[in-house]
Amino acid sequence: DECSEQCYKCDGPESDDCTACQNGYLQNGTCVLTCSRGTWADVNQHTCEECSDNCGACEDYAGNCTECDSGYLKVNVCVAACESKYYLDSTSTKCLPCDESCTECET
């Protein structure tokens, strides 16, 4: 069987029958140049893999969150609330560290 031109290997002739890609990454049987939100590009496997639960977006590996579906981003992990020694930056919705001399802070 012939593969779609974007496929390197396939199990059918359609563009969503790919099992490996000429270029880019395999996502749900289709070859894409950029993985969609909620997935990350596994450069070794040439596939798009799901981010960890609650990560809206991630990069390099599943638990390296860059955005959260809910809660706040604290050092690449999504948390429900900022804990001590961190404050919520309302502009970026990230938990940012307080000055080292503080145990709590607001900005």
Side-chain angles (χ1 to χ4, degrees):
D1 289 343
E2 293 237 351
C3 293
S4 167
E5 65 181 37
Q6 66 178 341
C7 303
Y8 177 68
K9 293 180 182 174
C10 63
D11 57 14
E14 303 299 322
S15 61
D16 62 352
D17 290 332
C18 301
T19 57
C21 300
Q22 296 280 9
N23 297 300
Y25 304 96
L26 184 64
Q27 184 167 26
N28 300 322
T30 302
C31 295
V32 296
L33 294 178
T34 306
C35 294
S36 63
R37 188 177 187 282
T39 65
W40 60 281
D42 184 329
V43 296
N44 295 318
Q45 299 294 318
H46 302 285
T47 56
C48 296
E49 300 295 333
E50 294 286 320
C51 294
S52 295
D53 288 348
N54 204 23
C55 276
C58 62
E59 56 187 36
D60 301 328
Y61 58 94
N64 188 27
C65 302
T66 57
E67 294 177 31
C68 300
D69 281 335
S70 63
Y72 310 105
L73 191 63
K74 177 189 161 203
V75 194
N76 297 11
V77 175
C78 295
V79 295
C82 301
E83 49 205 42
S84 64
K85 298 191 178 189
Y86 286 84
Y87 71 95
L88 175 60
D89 178 59
S90 57
T91 306
S92 67
T93 64
K94 292 181 181 179
C95 295
L96 300 177
C98 298
D99 183 272
E100 291 177 11
S101 63
C102 303
T103 55
E104 290 187 28
C105 63
E106 293 181 5
T107 56

